[in-house]
Amino acid sequence: MANPSRRIRILFVCLGNICRSPTAEVVFRAAAARAGLAHQVEIDSAGTSEWHVGNPPDYRATAHAARRGYDLRPLRARQVSAEDFARFDWIFAMDRSVLAELAALRPNGVAGHLGLFLDQAPDLGVSEVPDPYDGGPDGFEHVLDLIERGAEAFAAHLVARP
Ligand code: 4NP
């Protein structure tokens, strides 16, 4: 039987684990704390690629997040693994191509939720957090805007759960 006192484990996944998913990790950690869930959740992030493993988040993601009070500096990139599907209750992809890669990696028979993060915030009307890596500053602000909305919605969802 599942242990009801076990923390809910949540993993955010993007391509590089240096822009969107580390942003989601830190923004959702703050939203969960505001919702009174700080001790009930375990939050992590990963990338589908190995390109940036061991690196800190992109300096632009770090700078834009810092202007809103989020500290990305302690994070280091890692690549998602098959074991993550057994460990995490919720695995959230930042866009459809990441979701497709995760679906292909996912072992048979795992019970956790795999989906697009922004589907937790249907009012937004968009399902993907666009990759900001090759764009300008507006892209990083847009990533933060979307992720803040998704984080509020998902924290509210967890609070409302029976
Ligand atoms: P992320 O952004 O998936 O949000 O971390 C990217 C980071 C790096 C690359 C692409 C997207 N890259 O091509 O190295």
Side-chain angles (χ1 to χ4, degrees):
M1 207 169 104
N3 176 357
S5 66
R6 183 170 81 63
R7 290 180 184 218
I8 301 164
R9 296 179 181 142
I10 301 148
L11 181 68
F12 296 100
V13 186
C14 61
L15 177 58
N17 193 210
I18 58 169
C19 297
R20 292 165 293 173
S21 62
T23 299
E25 177 182 341
V26 170
V27 169
F28 182 67
R29 190 168 286 125
R34 281 195 302 278
L37 297 169
H39 301 291
Q40 293 164 53
V41 292
E42 185 182 311
I43 306 161
D44 196 5
S45 65
T48 53
S49 78
E50 62 184 354
W51 302 334
H52 301 281
V53 168
N55 291 344
D58 184 282
Y59 70 97
R60 297 163 297 173
T62 299
H64 284 271
R67 297 215 304 249
R68 301 191 192 195
Y70 305 111
D71 186 4
L72 269 54
R73 292 172 301 176
L75 305 186
R76 294 295 177 270
R78 74 172 180 90
Q79 188 174 25
V80 72
S81 71
E83 291 76 51
D84 286 321
F85 291 92
R87 175 166 183 77
F88 289 92
D89 305 295
W90 298 84
I91 298 183
F92 288 128
M94 292 294 132
D95 64 32
R96 287 191 177 85
S97 81
V98 168
L99 180 62
E101 283 213 46
L102 291 173
L105 259 180
R106 188 188 208 198
N108 288 326
V110 295
H113 172 98
L114 172 64
L116 291 168
F117 178 47
L118 294 186
D119 282 351
Q120 299 299 313
D123 292 353
L124 267 178
V126 293
S127 291
E128 300 186 285
V129 182
D131 177 354
Y133 190 72
D134 291 321
D138 290 356
F140 286 86
E141 288 300 308
H142 189 49
V143 163
L144 278 158
D145 290 340
L146 293 174
I147 287 175
E148 283 184 331
R149 296 274 303 274
E152 287 301 325
F154 184 55
H157 170 77
L158 291 182
V159 166
R161 267 167 30 135

